[in-house]
Amino acid sequence: MSTHGRFSTDTPEGQATLVAALKMRDREAFVALVRAYTGWVWQLAFRILKDEQHAEEVVQTVFLAAWEKIDDLNAQGVGLTSWIRRVAVNAALMRLRSASRRREDLVESPGDLLPAFTDDGHWAESVPEWSRPAEELIGAREVIEAVEAAVEELPEGERAVFILREVEHLSTKEVADSLGLQEGAVRTRLHRARLFLRKRLADVVDGGARDGNDVRASVDEGEGSATRRPGRVTVGEVQP
Amino acid sequence: MNTRIETFRRDGDHCDDPDHDHSGGRCSLVVQMITEYLEGALPDDKRERFERHLAACPPCVRFFDQLRAVSAIAPLLRCADVPPAVEERVLRFLQDKTA
């Protein structure tokens, strides 16, 4: 991360020195911790919460926990960065769960995310080649914006896994440790997130018209409406 | 990433996996295993069976490519800049809470 005063968080040795000082209730160490990790924690929380104020509250929660519970650190057998990440992710998820998201918005079952197959396991409809090659899509602004919007639609479980694995580049094991999950459950959530985002991407690339592998949509305009409104489709709770 | 898959056919709408009647060769199962494959979590026998299926099934290869595209875009997702005063506000908050 960086060096602040007599403390460095760039190496395991530097982190160990910092942790030892924190356990001695060294104020300078605490300030160094805050200066080293605030930006990283804030951005991690913001990616999950998409709210600046809530992200800042997560930062406060993390460092208050660091001050009050630093003695637990070695007992948990994880390093300082992993410990902070775990506290941050849990704080962000707790805040997300208490936000105004309505349960009735989560209407799609896990099976709805899978494409349609015939009884003997063949594709029920074609898988169209996207109209633009992948390398062209990857840098396109509208594509990035569409995926960002779709990530916000993911339930908290899938969203956290997707961000930690695909954006923060943690290993599957690190994601599992951060979220208190089995690695298999992480892969299940990651697969569901990828399926959902692929569908959203298809909507942008080809307008969704040729994509027969549709994700069933829920629309907030009342029952029976056939109008599809991107941004209002959500996926169901995860079954780890 | 296994580059062998880059050489697989992507055109066509038919699965030509000769073992399609067996459970390991079904498109529906292969689609469910894509993330396990990409994460390196498949045992050798299932990984080889997975690759054999893709070699014979252009629709599955296209779907596989599309899921990989999602992963390739993910690192490009943007994040807001940290507001400049956050650090000082957090330090003041902690000063009050831990005094």
Side-chain angles (χ1 to χ4, degrees):
Chain A
M1 295 283 165
S2 56
T3 299
H4 297 277
R6 60 192 165 92
F7 297 103
S8 168
T9 53
D10 289 336
T11 64
E13 296 76 20
Q15 291 193 6
T17 302
L18 179 62
V19 170
L22 288 169
K23 290 186 176 182
M24 300 293 290
R25 296 293 184 264
D26 182 329
R27 288 269 171 190
E28 188 184 340
F30 194 49
V31 171
L33 180 80
V34 172
R35 296 211 184 280
Y37 284 94
T38 288
W40 177 67
V41 171
W42 189 93
Q43 289 204 314
L44 178 59
F46 184 83
R47 283 190 188 280
I48 295 172
L49 295 165
K50 293 294 178 187
D51 183 291
E52 291 192 2
Q53 182 59 39
H54 289 171
E56 187 165 331
E57 288 167 10
V58 167
V59 176
Q60 293 173 352
T61 300
V62 167
F63 292 118
L64 199 53
W67 179 257
E68 293 173 346
K69 299 176 182 173
I70 194 70
D71 290 332
D72 295 348
L73 179 58
N74 287 348
Q76 294 181 8
V78 297
L80 177 63
T81 302
S82 297
W83 186 78
I84 288 176
R85 180 192 297 122
R86 183 184 295 179
V87 175
V89 170
N90 286 335
L93 290 181
M94 195 170 292
R95 184 158 291 282
L96 199 61
R97 290 181 193 121
S98 65
S100 60
R101 190 168 198 164
R102 292 174 298 133
R103 279 297 298 181
E104 56 267 33
D105 284 341
L106 306 176
V107 296
E108 290 185 289
S109 68
D112 291 335
L113 286 174
L114 289 171
F117 295 97
T118 59
D119 289 343
D120 64 355
H122 281 290
W123 291 93
E125 298 180 57
S126 70
V127 180
E129 187 86 61
W130 284 347
S131 60
R132 294 157 66 185
E135 56 271 23
E136 185 183 316
L137 290 176
I138 288 166
R141 177 186 230 174
E142 72 273 20
V143 168
I144 293 171
E145 288 174 352
V147 175
E148 286 171 344
V151 168
E152 286 189 50
E153 293 178 56
L154 290 169
E156 63 262 26
E158 279 95 344
R159 191 193 309 182
V161 165
F162 184 80
I163 288 168
L164 293 178
R165 180 73 185 96
E166 302 276 49
V167 180
E168 298 286 331
H169 300 297
L170 301 192
S171 69
T172 303
K173 183 177 186 315
E174 288 172 322
V175 177
D177 289 344
S178 296
L179 297 175
L181 296 171
Q182 299 293 316
E183 290 183 43
V186 169
R187 288 191 290 271
T188 298
R189 293 184 184 196
L190 182 59
H191 192 54
R192 285 170 48 71
R194 285 171 172 166
L195 287 172
F196 182 75
L197 298 175
R198 187 210 71 91
K199 174 64 187 127
R200 276 285 177 266
L201 207 45
D203 289 342
V204 173
V205 176
D206 287 336
R210 294 194 305 125
D211 193 341
N213 310 305
D214 201 9
V215 174
R216 267 180 262 167
S218 72
V219 183
D220 65 340
E221 293 180 334
E223 292 182 17
S225 170
T227 306
R228 184 87 184 270
R229 282 173 50 188
R232 298 301 302 175
V233 182
T234 54
V235 295
E237 283 290 280
V238 177
Q239 306 297 319
Chain B
M1 194 61 63
N2 194 320
T3 54
R4 203 163 75 84
I5 289 170
E6 302 310 324
T7 66
F8 292 167
R9 278 185 56 224
R10 284 157 171 76
D11 59 313
D13 280 332
H14 297 292
C15 175
D16 296 321
D17 189 335
D19 279 341
H20 200 277
D21 287 343
H22 296 88
S23 60
R26 288 173 184 265
C27 303
S28 55
L29 291 177
V30 166
V31 162
Q32 291 182 52
M33 290 195 296
I34 291 174
T35 290
E36 297 276 321
Y37 176 83
L38 291 173
E39 297 296 298
L42 287 180
D44 286 350
D45 57 337
K46 286 191 174 178
R47 178 178 51 75
E48 288 166 12
R49 187 68 194 84
F50 180 94
E51 290 179 351
R52 279 211 310 280
H53 180 85
L54 288 194
C57 185
C60 281
V61 177
R62 291 200 295 272
F63 197 85
F64 178 81
D65 286 345
Q66 291 167 6
L67 278 199
R68 279 199 302 185
V70 170
S71 295
I73 290 165
L76 304 177
L77 302 187
R78 301 155 303 174
C79 187
D81 292 332
V82 182
V86 166
E87 201 170 282
E88 298 312 320
R89 282 200 300 270
V90 169
L91 282 170
R92 277 201 303 276
F93 166 83
L94 295 168
Q95 182 71 38
D96 292 343
K97 289 286 184 182
T98 62

